[in-house]
Amino acid sequence: MEKELSMYMDPAYYTNRELSWIKFNERVLSEARDKNLPLFERLKFLSITESNLDEFFMIRVASLKDMVHAGYTKKDLAGLTASEQLELILKQAHELVNQQYSTYSRSLLPALKQNGLEVVVSHEDLTKEQGDFADRYFEENVYPVLTPMAVDSSRPFPLIRNKSLNIGALIAKKDDPEKKVDFATVQVPSVLPRLVHLPDGKDGGKRVILLEEIIERNIGQLFLNYDVICADPYRIIRNADLTIDEDEAADLLNEIQKQLKMRKWGEVIRLGVQDSMDPRLLKILKKEFHIQGEDIFRVGGPLDLTFLMKMYGMEGFDHLKHPSYKPQPVPAMMNDDDIFTQIRKGDIFLHHPYMTFDPVVNFVKQAAKDPDVLAIKQTLYRVSGNSPIIAALAQAAENGKQVSVLVELKARFDEENNIIWAKMLEKAGCHVIYGLVGLKTHSKITLVVRREEDGIRRYVHLGTGNYNDSTAKLYTDCGLLTCSEPIGEDATAVFNMLSGYSEPRKWNKLSLAPLWLRNKFISLIRRETSNAKQGKPAHIIAKMNSLCDKEVIAALYEASAAGVKTELIIRGICCLKVGIPGISENISVRSLVGNFLEHARIFYFLNNGQEEIYMGSADWMPRNLDKRVEILFPVEDASIMKEIRHILDIQLADNVKAQILQPDGTYVKIDKRGKNLVCAQEYFCEEAMERAKEQMPAEVHSERVFVPAEPMD
Amino acid sequence: MQYTLFGAIDIGSSEMELKIFELSRGKGMREIDCIRSRLELGKDTYATGKISTEKLEELCLVLNDFISIMKSYKVDAYRAYTTSAIREAKNRTILLDYLEKKTGLKIEVLDNAEQRFLDYKSIAAQANEFNRIIEKGTAILDVGGGSVQVSLFDKDSLVATQNIRIGNLRIRERVAAMEHMYGHFEELVQEMTRSELQNFKKMYVKDREISNVILVGDYLGGLSKAASLSIEEFQKIYDGVIHAEPSAAAKQFDLPEESISLIVPTLIICSEFISAMGAESIWMPGLNLNDGNAYDYAQRNRIIRAGHNFDDDILASARNIAKRYQCSKSHVKIMENLGLQIFDRMKKVHGLGSRERLLLQIAVILHGCGKYISLSDPADCSYQIIMATEIIGLSRKEREIIAYAVKFNTMEFPYYEELSRETDLDRSEYLTVAKLTAILRVANACDRSHKQKFENVKVSLKEKELIIQVDTPEDIILEMGLFAEKAAFFEEVFSIRTSIHQKKRM
């Protein structure tokens, strides 16, 4: 099988995943540039591009740097070595950053001013009155928390924290006849708001200035006996990932372990400065951080644009934001039955955030209280602070239920958060499993075992998104509540496996990574291929976050070459190329970047008319298929299948947010002229509201006629 | 709906397993959960004769987990069984006590014949399929870690069952020691099993035609989605596993990789068995001891009614043993009729149950087998034969009860203090021996001449007297004469007098 696929594995057929990721961030940026969007939404998107880029450098660029240091020469699926990739990435990253700042300065700042919010760009521009305010603010709020540090022969260069914003200055002793110049630095305190409100203008317009400008204005206060020659902000990104990124091959890990010394822990991999920085100051930073060339980003505006998210939160600008959407009740659950009765009536499909996440929370809550429930088992990956699910699980354990929770500690950036909750659950008497050695548990599954009158019944929730009630308002995800016996059996087996027991002798419905899922996907794709070869209709629709698995892509090429119509909806990275003659002409790729983060994974296969639809937690990425515990589950209820097909169809019809991948690797929006505008996310919002409304109990009848009861026979 | 939640635990030689079942009249047996944990206890036992402390500690950990899982299901009952890995361990008494103290779990050690009978019950629980298959000549191969059990069915009755010590774990360990010197694993295993199976064939199969083979054992169920296979399909699986890298085989058949080392010998044994029997089709129902355990529990507690009479299987295998030792069929028939009638009439007096009735029946069937060896000392020979011959479905102790009843049928009956020096039967088991012996003696006395004079008898209990009324034109002076001695013992045991009345024909 692999032999046949190898003809589709020519590196020329693949896009490097990092370059594809930058393309994704460009699409997010294009939202910030879209004048059709409410102004404050655009701020939000610009802020997202910045935090995305930080993470990208900390993890992906850092990883590539590790490879270069380790002398690792293996090429990626597009045939590039690590250093070749770095070169291309940095070139494109610089372009992206330039675009970020031109968007900020040329487009957003003027528009904000027009709408009554003035950002005072530089402290030199402050009026006398504003300047006095800023100085007072500095004295009262800022000065007490600053720790200026000078560098000289007796004081070494201080440790600059990752992602922190700092101001570097060149200073000289006032009475020093030689005018010897020293370097000094002070961190812009992260405990204070970055945006400082200045007094409103006479017209009532709001004015803000950035904290670092206020510090710069008062920098003399910090070095009283010195002359400050220049002061400029700077920011560094360090190689922060303490473990090798799971996406990399295991042999890389060995390589690096062998050469542990080679690895520079916390190495500075990116330096951000303003383009106005004094060259003498920059020279010192370059020397101290061992950084040069393309790793230095000089920008024409404030460093670290993530403050825009705070600006988005400012009060008084609601008219410049999307009206907030309230997740709607689930029609199948708008009755007085308890949740178990509702599920027994038939599988329930959940589409977040259009539908509320409450049923999922209630599922655990009710199970915790229900006297017939014997056990609750759940995997938790990223949990919100103050999660009601955690509270319910703890409650269940206290109520004497058997509660098993798999808490994934390896969830990136969330480790600490997870440990706190896990400890709390343990205290409450839950059986907590702290992940599996070598595997991240990414699957989202909850099992409730209930002892009912007619036997043991299992209720299962399977989802594409995390059990996080906060992100469920922002991420589009799908879920299924079911008490199907075969799925219940499999769910039990999943938890037995996660608890360290042997795998089951057979699976009924679920497919699991890392053991079985890859083969499952490949065989589903190849079934379409063989149908196409026999002249039968063949069609694949797949929606996911990222596609970068070589084998899966090769299988898709093979399918396309055989004539399988393949429509992919991929928000982020896509290493597949469209339009390669004879290889991928039947494949289309579209990306939706919208107000909500597209997060669901849905897979549709025509299967010669016997349609099959699957959903799950896994992308078509090597890490999902090989290094994680993931679950793929089939949707078998006919009406739910229809509903999901409808969701895919609407997403495929979107011509507002969708961007289409071109053969040259760029993404372009659809020409809307003469077309009915379809924005999938808005469509689903409205649809969910309508459906909920239909299901609302009709207004109490206004008939005022009393009906006398008939006498009983 | 009324249902019982039942936990079945199997402490096997390579794996421990807990199954949770929902047992009900309406839905029968429904498996709710299955938790398996790998632990090669047999590796210790078969190599050193003991189970190491490390393994024992691990066993405790897993058992405690099993207990908490059973608790979480609030099971109504459980039965924990262990088989050859602990049965054959020299330190079994000590370690069972330790396990019980550490876990609170009551663990029963199954004798091979009991274990195989439960395995067999698990298959028979699939009533429809099973009954269809055993219409034709069928051989069952039950592959365990320490040994295999081979059973033969002919026209839906069990005709023979034998235990052969070629279990997958035992074979693997034994061959592993030689493999590096002599090379090929497959050939070594084939050679080891072939001769054993040929012996079995010569002795039991003879010219019977075997068309079906049923394969039972851990892992076999996972190899094929369909339970019914043709020889070719089996061969394909065989080649796919034996002639592939373990990891590739594991991938292809969705098996845990670590189990391949046991599946390989299992398949070789199966393949040898199939060709030895010359079967045409194969059935692999994928069941194991825990299924049999639950089924047996459900049946005994009258939750499920069995479609198949398992006592008949036990009797059938007893009759086959009797046949091998050329016991007199007609004599047995008379005695069975008489013995069981006495047993049934005396129910209130002896207080024994249906299981003891079965033991009596087997004692009757086998009471003369020792004559095959020695006419001067048949009692002791019968005793030795019964003690050395496994009877499927009976525990070793049950066999011992039968063997003693048979022995004391003609030899002097010793009192408890005396007998307990040579056996570990407890008081109540001793009393069973005494009661069965008393009935057996009376029944035997009535057909002393082996001339079936007592073909038409009626037994009735009147107050303190058991009357055996016989309707025969023949002269029964011999029987009457010898009867007094036997009746004395009967009276001693039951405080009931017995007498023979001959219905005189006019």
Side-chain angles (χ1 to χ4, degrees):
Chain A
M1 179 175 91
E2 274 145 31
K3 211 176 200 175
E4 293 167 51
L5 282 181
S6 65
M7 64 177 288
Y8 297 102
M9 290 188 178
D10 184 336
Y13 299 159
Y14 292 81
T15 303
N16 169 263
R17 61 168 286 176
E18 323 302 347
L19 298 176
S20 178
W21 182 87
I22 291 178
K23 285 271 175 291
F24 159 66
N25 214 24
E26 281 174 15
R27 293 197 291 283
V28 180
L29 184 58
S30 79
E31 290 296 299
R33 297 159 71 84
D34 185 345
K35 294 199 175 60
N36 295 318
L37 247 64
L39 181 57
F40 272 58
E41 299 297 332
R42 296 169 61 191
L43 298 178
K44 195 170 77 183
F45 280 112
L46 186 54
S47 168
I48 292 171
T49 62
E50 182 81 356
S51 46
N52 278 351
L53 199 60
D54 283 351
E55 186 179 327
F56 177 70
F57 267 84
M58 270 161 30
I59 312 266
R60 303 301 308 172
V61 175
S63 210
L64 287 169
K65 294 236 174 204
D66 283 340
M67 290 194 211
V68 174
H69 293 319
Y72 184 78
T73 51
K74 207 161 151 187
K75 291 176 178 173
D76 80 329
L77 80 182
L80 299 171
T81 64
S83 51
E84 285 166 340
Q85 291 180 58
L86 273 177
E87 198 176 312
L88 291 166
I89 289 166
L90 285 170
K91 188 160 159 282
Q92 301 215 4
H94 276 279
E95 277 173 29
L96 182 81
V97 169
N98 287 340
Q99 273 203 357
Q100 279 180 321
Y101 281 88
S102 80
T103 309
Y104 175 72
S105 312
R106 294 207 201 134
S107 183
L108 295 177
L109 281 187
L112 283 169
K113 196 169 178 182
Q114 248 180 17
N115 283 285
L117 176 60
E118 187 188 343
V119 181
V120 180
V121 172
S122 155
H123 64 86
E124 285 92 346
D125 301 337
L126 290 172
T127 62
K128 169 78 176 53
E129 188 203 352
Q130 290 169 335
D132 291 346
F133 176 89
D135 293 345
R136 212 169 43 247
Y137 183 84
F138 177 80
E139 256 174 56
E140 289 172 5
N141 302 298
V142 189
Y143 184 76
V145 293
L146 289 180
T147 315
M149 289 179 285
V151 178
D152 57 29
S153 51
S154 63
R155 286 171 291 199
F157 197 85
L159 180 78
I160 304 299
R161 289 182 50 212
N162 184 28
K163 292 213 288 181
S164 64
L165 185 60
N166 300 273
I167 296 172
L170 292 178
I171 53 174
K173 268 217 171 91
K174 278 184 176 154
D175 49 3
D176 185 359
E178 291 172 38
K179 290 281 169 207
K180 193 174 142 305
V181 175
D182 283 327
F183 174 81
T185 184
V186 60
Q187 185 185 337
V188 177
S190 50
V191 289
L192 296 176
R194 182 93 185 278
L195 270 180
V196 180
H197 292 253
L198 295 167
D200 290 351
K202 289 192 187 71
D203 53 351
K206 303 234 189 278
R207 285 123 205 260
V208 291
I209 190 165
L210 292 171
L211 180 58
E212 64 266 30
E213 289 295 323
I214 294 181
I215 299 175
E216 265 183 67
R217 179 182 161 90
N218 290 282
I219 192 95
Q221 304 283 325
L222 301 178
F223 308 101
L224 284 175
N225 295 319
Y226 291 82
D227 289 323
V228 176
I229 298 161
C230 62
D232 292 291
Y234 67 92
R235 181 172 182 258
I236 54 167
I237 298 284
R238 290 183 188 273
N239 179 344
D241 207 12
L242 295 180
T243 54
I244 298 295
D245 199 12
E246 56 181 333
D247 291 355
E248 305 309 341
D251 52 345
L252 169 67
L253 190 64
N254 298 335
E255 194 66 31
I256 286 177
Q257 276 167 346
K258 258 189 277 166
Q259 310 197 24
L260 209 53
K261 272 177 252 158
M262 298 290 293
R263 184 143 202 229
K264 294 172 186 167
W265 297 101
E267 173 196 19
V268 175
I269 52 175
R270 178 176 139 197
L271 170 65
V273 298
Q274 287 179 329
D275 48 16
S276 56
M277 180 177 255
D278 190 293
R280 289 168 294 174
L281 196 54
L282 182 58
K283 197 175 157 192
I284 293 174
L285 294 178
K286 279 164 76 170
K287 181 169 154 271
E288 292 297 336
F289 295 136
H290 308 285
I291 198 163
Q292 55 192 340
E294 295 293 302
D295 293 336
I296 302 166
F297 284 73
R298 312 177 65 133
V299 300
L303 296 171
D304 189 3
L305 294 172
T306 53
F307 70 87
L308 292 172
M309 200 54 107
K310 292 279 177 291
M311 191 182 276
Y312 177 85
M314 274 174 73
E315 281 176 20
F317 296 95
D318 287 350
H319 60 292
L320 297 174
K321 300 174 193 169
H322 274 308
S324 71
Y325 174 78
K326 187 169 175 289
Q328 297 297 304
V330 181
M333 307 180 95
M334 292 171 71
N335 52 48
D336 295 334
D337 291 336
D338 71 280
I339 196 161
F340 303 113
T341 311
Q342 288 166 343
I343 299 171
R344 277 200 303 276
K345 283 182 188 164
D347 289 1
I348 298 172
F349 173 65
L350 303 169
H351 192 198
H352 313 296
Y354 312 109
M355 294 179 192
T356 165
F357 192 66
D358 291 350
V360 181
V361 178
N362 287 339
F363 182 50
V364 183
K365 272 191 187 166
Q366 291 204 20
K369 284 187 290 191
D370 187 296
D372 295 331
V373 166
L374 297 174
I376 306 175
K377 302 182 182 197
Q378 189 167 34
T379 57
L380 293 176
Y381 188 69
R382 287 181 178 175
V383 192
S384 70
N386 253 334
S387 161
I389 289 181
I390 300 271
L393 289 172
Q395 183 66 51
E398 278 159 13
N399 290 350
K401 322 258 175 239
Q402 193 220 358
V403 181
S404 302
V405 185
L406 188 135
V407 179
E408 183 46 77
L409 291 184
K410 294 186 278 287
R412 200 184 273 169
F413 303 133
D414 280 20
E415 283 92 344
E416 218 172 320
N417 198 11
N418 283 337
I419 289 175
I420 295 167
W421 291 119
K423 291 280 175 221
M424 196 197 108
L425 286 172
E426 243 176 17
K427 258 192 204 151
C430 304
H431 174 217
V432 179
I433 307 158
Y434 291 92
L436 303 179
V437 177
L439 290 174
K440 254 191 211 181
T441 309
H442 194 241
S443 54
K444 298 102 180 43
I445 181 167
T446 308
L447 166 69
V448 170
V449 184
R450 210 160 170 257
R451 186 167 187 167
E452 298 184 352
E453 234 168 68
D454 55 348
I456 293 279
R457 186 171 270 122
R458 283 174 278 224
Y459 297 83
V460 182
H461 175 265
L462 287 157
T464 65
N466 297 315
Y467 288 112
N468 185 321
D469 49 300
S470 318
T471 57
K473 293 179 189 126
L474 305 169
Y475 291 17
T476 74
D477 270 306
C478 296
L480 186 73
L481 285 164
T482 180
C483 59
S484 133
E485 172 110 24
I487 287 184
E489 269 176 24
D490 283 356
T492 300
V494 167
F495 284 101
N496 286 343
M497 240 179 103
L498 294 178
S499 311
Y501 294 108
S502 305
E503 60 200 52
R505 296 196 175 87
K506 68 177 175 62
W507 295 97
N508 301 314
K509 297 285 177 188
L510 304 185
S511 306
L512 264 76
L515 295 170
W516 303 276
L517 190 53
R518 173 183 289 282
N519 285 346
K520 173 82 179 175
F521 276 130
I522 300 285
S523 73
L524 286 169
I525 295 169
R526 297 195 120 195
R527 192 174 61 193
E528 295 300 317
T529 308
S530 99
N531 281 344
K533 281 183 180 159
Q534 295 165 38
K536 296 175 189 161
H539 190 183
I540 298 172
I541 308 174
K543 170 181 166 56
M544 69 201 86
N545 298 342
S546 299
L547 166 57
C548 57
D549 186 78
K550 195 174 180 177
E551 196 185 350
V552 173
I553 294 175
L556 288 171
Y557 285 154
E558 184 191 43
S560 166
V564 178
K565 183 182 175 195
T566 307
E567 297 175 288
L568 304 175
I569 307 167
I570 299 167
R571 178 195 17 115
I573 299 164
C574 175
C575 296
L576 174 144
K577 287 185 175 177
V578 294
I580 308 171
I583 302 284
S584 62
E585 285 159 313
N586 291 314
I587 304 178
S588 71
V589 177
R590 56 169 49 217
S591 167
L592 294 178
V593 174
N595 203 23
F596 301 129
L597 184 80
E598 290 293 333
H599 195 254
R601 285 90 168 184
I602 305 174
F603 308 93
Y604 166 92
F605 300 90
L606 178 59
N607 187 25
N608 194 26
Q610 296 288 313
E611 296 173 318
E612 284 181 9
I613 292 180
Y614 298 87
M615 301 200 290
S617 52
D619 288 317
W620 283 346
M621 291 175 95
R623 71 167 184 218
N624 294 107
L625 301 176
D626 302 329
K627 306 237 173 91
R628 286 184 172 181
V629 178
E630 307 268 8
I631 295 177
L632 183 76
F633 56 98
V635 177
E636 292 179 328
D637 178 284
S639 66
I640 298 179
M641 283 178 77
K642 208 174 130 200
E643 175 63 20
I644 293 173
R645 184 62 213 264
H646 164 69
I647 290 171
L648 292 172
D649 286 342
I650 294 296
Q651 296 212 332
L652 290 172
D654 185 300
N655 51 18
V656 175
K657 294 288 180 189
Q659 300 201 35
I660 312 295
L661 177 62
Q662 305 297 309
D664 67 356
T666 59
Y667 284 79
V668 296
K669 284 210 167 178
I670 296 164
D671 186 357
K672 302 182 193 61
R673 277 172 297 183
K675 289 186 181 119
N676 278 338
L677 293 187
V678 180
C679 173
Q681 293 190 349
E682 279 174 22
Y683 182 97
F684 295 136
C685 286
E686 283 162 22
E687 191 177 62
M689 289 196 284
E690 274 167 32
R691 286 180 181 176
K693 212 167 149 191
E694 278 169 25
Q695 200 63 33
M696 278 297 205
E699 296 291 318
V700 180
H701 287 292
S702 50
E703 288 169 37
R704 300 275 310 248
V705 184
F706 298 105
V707 183
E710 300 286 327
M712 305 254 280
D713 292 330
Chain B
M1 190 188 75
Q2 274 257 313
Y3 60 93
T4 305
L5 281 183
F6 179 74
I9 293 178
D10 173 12
I11 304 168
S13 50
S14 61
E15 206 174 53
M16 307 212 276
E17 184 187 81
L18 163 68
K19 276 190 180 178
I20 307 285
F21 289 94
E22 184 187 293
L23 306 173
S24 67
R25 206 155 299 204
K27 295 191 207 162
M29 263 169 70
R30 178 176 163 229
E31 185 184 315
I32 300 284
D33 204 342
C34 171
I35 298 108
R36 288 180 299 141
S37 189
R38 224 182 138 69
L39 184 64
E40 294 195 351
L41 292 175
K43 204 170 169 176
D44 286 16
T45 308
Y46 307 146
T48 67
K50 282 186 188 179
I51 287 174
S52 65
T53 321
E54 294 79 33
K55 289 256 166 74
L56 190 60
E57 287 308 317
E58 218 182 314
L59 179 63
C60 282
L61 280 179
V62 179
L63 285 179
N64 276 321
D65 269 8
F66 282 4
I67 290 169
S68 71
I69 292 169
M70 289 198 298
K71 271 192 189 143
S72 78
Y73 278 106
K74 302 189 180 146
V75 297
D76 303 299
Y78 77 86
R79 285 200 309 203
Y81 286 151
T82 179
T83 50
S84 67
I86 290 189
R87 184 174 65 232
E88 292 182 21
K90 283 184 277 188
N91 55 346
R92 78 178 217 182
T93 313
I94 295 170
L95 61 90
L96 278 171
D97 178 64
Y98 180 78
L99 282 175
E100 215 169 307
K101 296 273 158 17
K102 264 297 239 275
T103 64
L105 209 60
K106 196 174 163 302
I107 300 167
E108 293 167 62
V109 183
L110 289 188
D111 290 326
N112 179 62
E114 292 175 292
Q115 173 198 345
R116 303 303 177 165
F117 194 56
L118 289 180
D119 281 345
Y120 159 63
K121 273 194 169 179
S122 75
I123 313 169
Q126 313 278 79
N128 293 338
E129 193 76 355
F130 179 69
N131 290 333
R132 185 183 62 72
I133 288 175
I134 60 170
E135 277 169 17
K136 286 187 188 169
T138 298
I140 304 181
L141 177 73
D142 177 0
V143 186
S147 62
V148 304
Q149 187 80 14
V150 186
S151 313
L152 288 182
F153 275 87
D154 196 11
K155 296 189 199 75
D156 68 13
S157 74
L158 183 69
V159 292
T161 174
Q162 269 300 308
N163 187 254
I164 309 173
R165 282 155 71 92
I166 47 171
N168 53 28
L169 186 69
R170 195 190 298 271
I171 287 270
R172 186 192 77 186
E173 295 302 301
R174 226 193 278 166
V175 172
M178 306 183 255
E179 196 186 355
H180 68 282
M181 283 192 286
Y182 305 105
H184 214 259
F185 187 84
E186 188 183 354
E187 281 169 24
L188 284 170
V189 178
Q190 279 172 347
E191 222 171 305
M192 281 175 88
T193 51
R194 196 167 291 163
S195 58
E196 303 270 8
L197 292 172
Q198 285 305 332
N199 281 342
F200 174 82
K201 195 179 172 185
K202 244 182 266 163
M203 286 185 65
Y204 299 99
V205 182
K206 296 178 186 153
D207 49 2
R208 277 198 187 88
E209 202 176 306
I210 301 295
S211 18
N212 303 312
V213 163
I214 301 179
L215 301 176
V216 194
D218 287 329
Y219 312 117
L220 281 171
L223 290 170
S224 162
K225 288 221 165 63
S228 295
L229 300 173
S230 65
I231 301 293
E232 293 72 36
E233 284 162 333
F234 179 84
Q235 190 59 37
K236 225 167 137 189
I237 293 173
Y238 182 87
D239 292 337
V241 175
I242 308 282
H243 302 129
E245 280 296 304
S247 60
K251 208 173 158 192
Q252 195 193 337
F253 292 97
D254 272 357
L255 294 165
E257 195 170 332
E258 71 274 8
S259 65
I260 296 287
S261 73
L262 289 176
I263 292 176
V264 168
T266 305
L267 277 176
I268 300 173
I269 298 164
C270 289
S271 160
E272 283 302 307
F273 183 70
I274 292 165
S275 63
M277 295 300 134
E280 291 148 18
S281 68
I282 297 162
W283 195 46
M284 300 200 297
L287 298 161
N288 63 16
L289 182 64
N290 274 339
D291 297 280
N293 180 354
Y295 182 75
D296 180 63
Y297 176 85
Q299 194 206 330
R300 279 177 195 233
N301 290 278
R302 294 168 207 286
I303 302 168
I304 292 172
R305 208 169 308 136
H308 182 90
N309 189 340
F310 292 99
D311 286 354
D312 283 352
D313 293 325
I314 302 176
L315 289 173
S317 67
R319 284 191 215 286
N320 275 295
I321 297 166
K323 192 175 163 198
R324 192 183 330 149
Y325 296 105
Q326 297 170 11
C327 298
S328 157
K329 240 178 164 176
S330 46
H331 174 56
V332 164
K333 202 177 156 214
I334 294 287
M335 264 182 80
E336 244 182 288
N337 175 26
L338 194 54
L340 292 177
Q341 273 202 54
I342 298 172
F343 186 95
D344 294 343
R345 296 295 164 275
M346 298 275 294
K347 228 170 205 168
K348 281 207 180 121
V349 181
H350 58 57
L352 300 174
S354 58
R355 188 73 183 170
E356 286 76 15
R357 188 177 190 270
L358 180 72
L359 299 186
L360 172 69
Q361 203 172 354
I362 295 168
V364 170
I365 292 168
L366 295 178
H367 81 278
C369 63
K371 286 186 189 144
Y372 181 78
I373 293 171
S374 159
L375 285 173
S376 61
D377 187 16
D380 203 43
C381 288
S382 299
Y383 170 84
Q384 298 294 353
I385 288 175
I386 294 169
M387 287 307 285
T389 314
E390 276 197 332
I391 302 169
I392 194 153
L394 296 188
S395 70
R396 188 189 55 81
K397 278 206 165 176
E398 286 173 326
R399 246 182 318 122
E400 202 174 346
I401 291 172
I402 294 169
Y404 274 128
V406 167
K407 183 173 175 179
F408 303 134
N409 176 34
T410 51
M411 283 170 73
E412 192 188 342
F413 193 87
Y415 291 98
Y416 182 66
E417 289 65 28
E418 193 187 336
L419 187 66
S420 65
R421 263 175 254 142
E422 62 171 273
T423 170
D424 59 350
L425 290 182
D426 62 24
R427 269 168 204 281
S428 82
E429 286 155 346
Y430 167 80
L431 288 173
T432 306
V433 173
K435 289 169 186 172
L436 297 186
T437 305
I439 298 173
L440 195 64
R441 282 186 180 183
V442 168
N444 196 31
C446 290
D447 192 30
R448 194 68 185 76
S449 62
H450 286 221
K451 283 183 177 157
Q452 291 85 45
K453 298 173 192 166
F454 282 59
E455 213 151 8
N456 296 310
V457 291
K458 245 179 86 184
V459 180
S460 52
L461 182 64
K462 278 180 188 143
E463 303 264 319
K464 285 265 164 200
E465 193 174 7
L466 186 83
I467 297 160
I468 301 169
Q469 193 170 49
V470 58
D471 179 4
T472 176
E474 308 240 2
D475 164 27
I476 55 165
I477 292 177
L478 176 66
E479 280 75 16
M480 293 284 246
L482 289 167
F483 192 75
E485 185 199 335
K486 307 289 175 190
F489 183 67
F490 193 90
E491 193 174 346
E492 185 183 344
V493 174
F494 298 115
S495 297
I496 296 233
R497 268 180 289 121
T498 30
S499 56
I500 300 177
H501 293 193
Q502 187 168 26
K503 197 174 173 187
K504 289 269 171 9
R505 295 202 179 180
M506 291 300 137

